[in-house]
Amino acid sequence: MIKKAIILTLILNSIILIGVPAGHGYGIMIMFEVISIPMLIKNGFDFQKEYPIESSLFLIALISLIGKLISVAILFSKNILNKQKWIYIGLILMLISFLIVCFGAWNYDN
């Protein structure tokens, strides 16, 4: 039962629609996660004051990707004692990235 819930959470978190401000369009979370690793290696962490949500999208995607990787690793783990702790850590990382996207879009619209 818990495995089905984790898989459903991973799928739903992957299809979060993210609107990029300044008219650049929309994308889904998994697209930003795939793009975030090479962009962060190439450019590093670059924060701009004009568009804070745009400059932090790759960092948000990286946090979400780490949470997803932890959750996927837990699916194949046999150690029951640490499993619950790591499930919560993975879910909290995915929730943090979701909330940052929501608050960033809310502040940009205001």
Side-chain angles (χ1 to χ4, degrees):
M1 181 78 171
I2 192 74
K3 288 186 179 186
K4 290 179 184 177
I6 290 174
I7 292 171
L8 183 64
T9 303
L10 292 172
I11 292 170
L12 291 176
N13 191 292
S14 295
I15 59 172
I16 293 174
L17 189 64
I18 300 174
V20 180
H24 294 296
Y26 293 93
I28 56 174
M29 179 66 84
I30 197 160
M31 180 185 73
F32 285 105
E33 290 170 354
V34 171
I35 295 172
S36 70
I37 296 171
M39 290 299 291
L40 287 174
I41 290 171
K42 181 179 176 185
N43 298 332
F45 297 108
D46 182 29
F47 294 106
Q48 301 168 357
K49 292 184 179 182
E50 295 86 25
Y51 300 107
I53 187 70
E54 277 185 355
S55 61
S56 63
L57 275 178
F58 295 121
L59 183 60
I60 294 167
L62 186 64
I63 292 170
S64 176
L65 181 65
I66 291 170
K68 287 179 188 174
L69 290 176
I70 289 171
S71 298
V72 168
I74 289 302
L75 288 175
F76 301 107
S77 173
K78 301 290 183 195
N79 190 356
I80 295 172
L81 297 176
N82 292 332
K83 201 170 192 176
Q84 186 177 13
K85 177 179 71 171
W86 285 105
I87 287 172
Y88 287 135
I89 290 172
L91 289 175
I92 288 171
L93 287 174
M94 287 187 281
L95 181 67
I96 287 171
S97 66
F98 174 72
L99 291 176
I100 291 172
V101 168
C102 291
F103 290 135
W106 182 270
N107 289 335
Y108 185 77
D109 287 339
N110 287 338

